[in-house]
Every structure is written in C-alpha cells, then in structure tokens.
C-alpha cells in the first residue's frame, strides 16, 4: 500500500530479510556454480585482490599467497591489505558486499578479479566452518581480528593478541564438511590451484610447490620461430590434449587480450560450438567460453588472458556486452589475417590447413564475403584434373565447367577429360555455389554449367556415310528407348573402352519426372501436367562408334535382338553414371538380362 494514500495512515515498521544460509549455499552449489571446485578460485581471488589492494598503497609490500593442506583442512595465507574489526563486521558478515568497496580501494578496482562480493560464502559449498584471522596493513596499530562462521549462519568475532598475526595480511582456515573431504585433499588442492592460478601475477604455492608459471607461454622469448611454434604446440597438447596444425598469436593490446589460438588437427562441424579457455587478470574464468570468437572461427581452440571483459555472476562465463563484441571482432580479424598471410606467403601450411578444414571453410565462404575473397581461390575441389584449387584449375582451363550433382560428374568425367573439357564436381555441399562465385574474386574467369549439349558437341561426329549405313539399327534403338524419354545418337570418342554414355541435365530430368507423373495421374492431373510439358531436350544415350562392342551390335539385323542389346547398353550406362534407377529402369535391366540369357541359350541350342 502506498504511504501517501491517506494522511491518517500510520507508518509501518521496516523489517530485514532473514537469510537461510544453508539454503543459500545449496542454491550456490546447485545453480550458480558448475562445481564445488570454484571454492578454491574464490579463495585465490580474495587473496590476490587483497595483495593488489595493499600494493596499490604500498608498492614494495610482499606479494605472496600460500596454501597448506592437512587432514581435511585447508589454510590460505596472503600478505594482502588485511581487515580491522570494523571491516570484518561490515564486510565478511554481510552477504553481497565486497571488500573491494572499502574506502581507499575503489580507485584500484579495475585491478581486482572479483566484482560481486560473494567471496567466502562460496567456501561453505565444501566447508562446514570458516575461520579468518586478519591484520590490517592500513591500521598498523590495530590488533589482529578473528572471524569464525558456521554454515548455520552464526558467526563470532574477537580480537587476538598481536603475536597471533605479527604481519599484515589474512589467513583463512577451512574445515571440510561431511562428504567433501576430497576437495581439500593435497593433490586436489594443488591441481585446482594450478588450473585456476597458473597465470596469476604473484607467487602462489601449495605446500611449498609453485603454482604460477610466468611468463605465459605466448609471452616468453624463444630462440627461433620454429622453436616458438614447437613450444606452443607442446603447451596445446598439455592443455587441450591435441597437437595443433598451427598456432595463431592473439595479441590485441587495445582489447586487453594476450593469448593464442590453436588450429584443430581434425575436421569439426561448423555447427559445433567451440569452447575456449579464458583467464581474467591471470585467474582462470572458464574453460567453456563459447561466445569469444565469431561463429566462423570454429576450427580453433583459444587460451587467453584479458583484463577488459566482464564475468557473469558465477564468474564462470563472459558477460555479453559491447566490450565482448569488440573483442570478438578483433580476435576474428586476427585469425582472418593469419589465413590471409598463409594464402600470400605460405601455401604449404595453407594446403595442410585446408586439407582438414576445407568443408567448414566452404560453408563460411558462402556467407562471409571477406572469407570468400580470401579463401575461394585456394579451396580444393574434385575436378577432371584431380583434386585442385580453383585458382590452379582456372589457369589450366579457359572455361570452368561444373556439374550440380556427383552423379553427373561421375558420368562425364572420363569422357570430358579425354576431350580436354575441364569440369569441377559441384555436387558436394556448397561446391556449385562457390564455383559460380569464382568470377567475383577472379575477374575474367568464365564459369558454365556442363550440360548434355556441351558434352555432345565436344564428341567427334561419325562419317555421314557410315552413319547412314547404320540407319536401320539406329531407328530400332531409338524406338526401343523412346518410351523411356531417351534419344540415341552415334559419336566417336575416347576412351574406347566406354561403349555408351548416358547424358542428361536438370531440364531433361525435370521433364522426365513430369512425364512419369503424367503417366501415373488420373485424367484431371494428367491434363494439368500435360499442359506443363516442356521443350527441353531429352536425355540421350551416346553410342561410341569406336568401341568394338558397339560395332558388333550395330551389325545386328534382328529388331528384337537390337532392342535387347540397346536396353542392355542403356542400363549399363545408367549404372556407370551411378544414377538412381526408376522402377521402369529396373524393369528394363531385368528384361534385358533375361533377354540376353534367352538369346545366348537359344543360340547354343541351335548349334
């Protein structure tokens, strides 16, 4: 009810939210954080931030973080700014408030890892009791203070004698809750500390063993480019479990980013979301950052450190904002520059890359004009000259012909190659679209779809006198295939081993499909489909006059035998072209096979 609705209304007393700490811890462990392991990140994060805060005021102050494990307990010591008793009451016991907001630290806020002040609360995910002993560096004469909290929401605060904590800083003691002892085990703490804190700027140790490994692999000096590439490859194998095809430096100072992108050694689907490893000011933020790179950069895995990106509330992902969008664009440009550099100066490495990832790059080139211009001339395609880049293929052939289906290519490749026609197999996903885009990136290139007329025109005509002598045979052959929507022509071509060639194109196939539908439709639909009859040329069976078998068949005089032989040649040509067989085609093959068997057995009986 609005307090201004009535002047006579009495002010209601205010109340404070009652927080069930155990319920809140359950919420954190099951919904905010992906794993209990983040407790160690929070401890490291608080310790590093405390050191950063102290050094902002005392540049010469020590910068150390030490972790000690023993019997289900963990002790974390830092040489940071520390807390007074007032700070403890105000900061540690108030959920949602961060020590980074304390007076005098605000100006250094950009140097801190944490942004949300959840802090020690996350430790209750693995601990039933937390004890903090701290001494302030800002108030040297203040006594050390002890804060002890339980997961039931209760806490105590008391001051200690000066010798309890002689130097400024903070010590956090954790006692494992039932069933969570493994998270405080020495080997687990060391592994987590190295995972989260390998790039932290201060000296961090677990039971005396060093955690930090500075400088980062991409910031180290190497004796040669080859040595650098080998070292980064080892780093990739240790981190991700694979040896990369190549490494791409991701140095973007304006975006506050340093790191490396590793090129995957095996093909992946462009639809598969790549995940990357991101450190924020040295602390591992996430191993599963998905939105870090443009979608087209699916072929790399990144590891980097940044000081400009914002984490989400769980500090396990990146917050989608304008800064992330700008970083994504800058990193994408860096990877694009790497591709351009390979295309310009290292064709062998580019070929190795494309031999693995060409399908994915093709899919991107269809939608990314810059990728199209950069990569299209180098992308490999199946051609009548073998596996070639379009650049090389276009240099060899004045006209770049292509087929739209794999079957068409298989059908004409041997013949076209023998006749000197250059053909690209455009039947695979994206390929025909990309071949047609070649003139846009290689001006002057002529691209044309290969059709039956083009192939037939390149085959040698038979001497008119010889063709006239075979007129009766050709007429019988044409009559046999006419019901199937196929013409018969006679040509001379190589290779000699091919007796017949079945040629058609999309228009012919559409017309055949319409004719088949018309034949099976009722009167109404037959009339409608008949009105759609096209004028496109029909499929054709090209008989090779140079082939010995065709010469023998053409000498036959019995119409029935000519028909059986023609059907056999037609079926064999369809099979060679790897074309799907219609029911009528399958019936023809069976009929031809039986007919040849009858002819052969009758011939034997006549002997």
């Amino acid at each position: 009810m609005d307090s201004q609705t009535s002047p006579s209304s009495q002010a209601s007393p205010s109340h404070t939210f009652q927080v069930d700490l155990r319920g809140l811890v359950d919420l954190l462990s099951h919904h905010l954080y992906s794993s209990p392991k983040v407790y160690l990140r929070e401890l490291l994060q608080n310790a590093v931030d405390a050191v950063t805060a102290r050094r902002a005021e005392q540049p010469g102050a020590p910068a150390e973080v030490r972790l000690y494990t023993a019997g289900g307990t963990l002790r974390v010591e830092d040489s940071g700014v520390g807390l007074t008793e007032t700070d403890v009451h105000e900061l540690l016991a108030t959920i949602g408030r961060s020590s980074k907001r304390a007076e005098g630290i605000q100006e250094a806020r950009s140097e801190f890892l944490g942004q949300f002040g959840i802090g020690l609360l996350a430790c209750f995910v693995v601990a039933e009791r937390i004890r903090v002993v701290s001494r302030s560096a800002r108030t040297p004469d203040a006594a050390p203070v002890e804060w002890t909290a339980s997961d039931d929401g209760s806490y105590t605060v008391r001051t200690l004698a000066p010798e309890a904590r002689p130097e400024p800083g903070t010590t956090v003691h954790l006692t494992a809750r039932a069933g969570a002892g493994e998270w405080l085990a020495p080997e687990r703490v060391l592994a987590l500390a190295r995972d989260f804190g390998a790039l932290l700027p201060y000296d961090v140790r677990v039971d005396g063993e060093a955690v930090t490994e500075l400088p980062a692999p991409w910031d180290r000096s190497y004796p040669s480019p080859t040595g650098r590439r080998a070292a980064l490859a080892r780093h990739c194998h240790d981190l991700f479990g694979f040896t990369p095809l190549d490494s791409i430096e991701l140095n973007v100072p304006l975006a506050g980013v340093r790191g490396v992108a590793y090129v995957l050694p095996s093909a992946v689907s462009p639809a598969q979301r790549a995940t990357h490893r991101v450190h924020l000011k040295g602390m591992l933020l996430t191993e599963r950052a998905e939105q870090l790179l443009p979608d087209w950069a699916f072929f790399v895995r990144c590891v980097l450190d940044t000081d400009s990106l914002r984490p989400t509330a769980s500090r396990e992902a990146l917050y989608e904002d304008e800064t992330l969008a700008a970083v994504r664009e800058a990193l994408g440009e860096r990877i694009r520059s790497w591709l351009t550099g390979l295309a310009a100066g290292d064709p062998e490495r580019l070929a190795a890359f494309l031999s693995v990832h060409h399908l994915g790059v093709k899919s991107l080139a269809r939608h990314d004009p810059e990728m199209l211009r950069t990569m299209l001339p180098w992308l490999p395609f199946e051609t009548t000259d073998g596996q070639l880049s379009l650049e090389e293929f276009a240099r060899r052939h004045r006209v770049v012909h292509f087929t739209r289906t794999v079957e068409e290519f298989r059908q004409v490749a041997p013949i076209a190659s023998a006749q000197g026609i250059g053909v690209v197999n455009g039947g695979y996903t994206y390929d025909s679209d990309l071949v047609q885009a070649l003139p846009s990136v290689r001006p002057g290139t002529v691209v044309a779809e290969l059709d039956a007329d083009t192939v037939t025109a390149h085959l040698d005509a038979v001497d008119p006198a010889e063709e006239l002598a075979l007129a009766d045979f050709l007429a019988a052959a044409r009559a046999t295939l006419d019901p199937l929507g196929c013409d018969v022509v006679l040509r001379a071509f190589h290779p000699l081993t091919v007796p017949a060639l079945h040629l058609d194109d999309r228009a012919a196939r559409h017309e055949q499909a319409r004719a088949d539908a018309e034949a099976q439709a009722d009167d109404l639909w037959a009339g409608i489909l008949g009105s759609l009859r096209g004028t496109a040329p029909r499929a054709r069976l090209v008989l090779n006059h140079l082939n010995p078998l065709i010469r023998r068949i053409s000498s036959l005089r019995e119409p029935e035998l000519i028909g059986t032989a023609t059907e056999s040649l037609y079926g064999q040509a369809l099979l060679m072209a790897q074309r799907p067989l219609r029911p009528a085609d399958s019936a023809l093959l069976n009929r031809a096979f039986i007919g040849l068997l009858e002819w052969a057995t009758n011939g034997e009986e006549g002997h």
Side-chain angles (χ1 to χ4, degrees), residues 222-245:
Y222 297 95
S224 66
T226 302
R228 181 180 185 84
R229 189 176 297 124
L232 289 177
R234 288 193 298 272
H235 175 249
C236 176
H237 189 273
D238 293 342
L239 198 61
F240 294 126
F242 66 84
T243 300
L245 285 178

Side-chain angles (χ1 to χ4, degrees), residues 137-441:
R138 293 203 193 96
T139 313
D141 56 347
V145 61
E146 178 191 69
W147 176 82
T148 304
S150 300
D151 61 1
D152 61 3
S154 64
Y155 71 92
T156 61
V157 178
R158 65 180 179 133
T159 56
L160 304 177
E163 57 269 19
R165 176 85 199 193
E167 298 296 328
T170 300
T171 302
V172 179
H173 302 260
L174 299 187
T175 301
R177 65 168 57 249
E182 61 172 305
W183 293 104
L184 274 61
E187 62 278 3
R188 176 63 68 89
V189 171
L190 178 60
L192 291 178
R194 284 177 171 166
D195 196 37
F196 283 120
L199 301 184
L200 289 174
Y202 306 132
D203 182 16
V204 181
R205 296 176 183 271
V206 176
D207 295 328
E209 293 194 48
V211 168
T212 51
E213 300 176 1
L214 295 178
W218 50 84
D219 286 330
R220 297 172 191 167
S221 297
Y222 297 95
S224 66
T226 302
R228 181 180 185 84
R229 189 176 297 124
L232 289 177
R234 288 193 298 272
H235 175 249
C236 176
H237 189 273
D238 293 342
L239 198 61
F240 294 126
F242 66 84
T243 300
L245 285 178
D246 208 345
S247 304
I248 308 170
E249 303 282 344
L250 299 179
N251 183 12
V252 189
L254 292 179
V257 170
R258 287 283 298 163
V260 61
Y262 293 117
V263 181
L264 294 167
S266 55
V268 293
S269 168
Q272 180 179 330
R273 299 285 293 185
T275 56
H276 310 287
R277 190 177 175 91
V278 178
H279 295 255
L280 181 61
K281 302 180 182 72
M283 180 73 74
L284 177 66
L285 179 70
T286 178
E287 301 174 282
R288 300 183 298 276
E290 294 186 348
Q291 67 272 50
L292 185 65
L293 295 180
D295 289 342
W296 58 260
F298 61 91
F299 48 82
V300 299
R301 290 282 301 278
C302 290
V303 54
L304 55 83
D305 189 24
T306 176
D307 58 16
S308 63
L309 299 177
R310 290 175 56 197
T312 58
S314 67
R315 284 185 287 248
E316 294 184 281
L318 296 172
Y319 186 80
E320 184 69 49
D321 57 10
E322 292 182 357
T323 302
L324 179 56
V327 168
R328 183 162 50 234
E329 182 177 350
L331 295 181
E333 185 57 38
R334 183 67 194 87
I335 295 173
R336 198 193 307 274
S337 297
W338 170 77
L339 285 171
T340 304
L342 290 187
D346 201 338
E348 290 186 4
R349 284 168 67 196
L350 178 65
F353 166 74
L354 290 178
S355 68
V356 176
H357 295 294
H358 61 277
L359 286 178
V361 174
K362 284 179 179 180
S363 73
L364 299 173
R366 292 176 64 239
H367 305 292
D368 187 325
E370 187 63 31
M371 182 68 76
L372 182 72
R373 286 191 293 272
T374 300
M375 301 308 300
L376 182 57
W378 304 96
L379 288 170
F381 288 79
E382 183 180 4
T383 77
T384 47
D385 293 353
Q387 195 82 357
L388 288 179
S389 69
L390 287 185
E391 178 70 24
E392 174 64 24
F393 190 76
R395 282 200 297 264
R396 296 185 182 187
H397 299 279
R398 184 179 61 83
V399 178
V400 177
H401 290 96
F402 72 96
T403 63
R404 290 189 180 272
T405 68
V406 175
E407 291 80 7
E408 287 180 79
F409 182 80
R410 298 279 186 268
Q411 182 181 11
V412 303
I415 311 302
S417 180
Q419 309 306 314
I421 307 173
V423 185
V424 177
N425 183 358
Y428 296 117
T429 306
Y430 317 123
D431 283 11
S432 62
D433 291 340
L434 292 174
V435 174
Q436 292 178 88
L438 184 59
S440 68
V441 299

Side-chain angles (χ1 to χ4, degrees), residues 43-101:
L43 287 173
L44 287 176
Q45 184 168 280
N46 288 344
V48 169
D49 283 346
V51 172
T52 300
R54 184 178 179 186
R55 287 171 70 89
E57 301 175 0
Q58 304 172 18
E64 298 177 350
V65 179
R66 298 288 184 265
L67 293 84
Y68 301 96
T69 61
T73 64
L74 174 64
R75 185 171 88 253
V76 181
E77 298 181 355
D78 68 64
S79 58
V81 69
L83 301 171
T84 64
E85 183 176 356
T86 301
D87 293 335
V88 166
H89 280 290
E90 181 182 358
L91 301 172
L92 295 188
T94 305
I95 295 172
R97 180 168 296 182
S98 171
S99 61
K100 273 75 78 175
R101 298 176 183 142

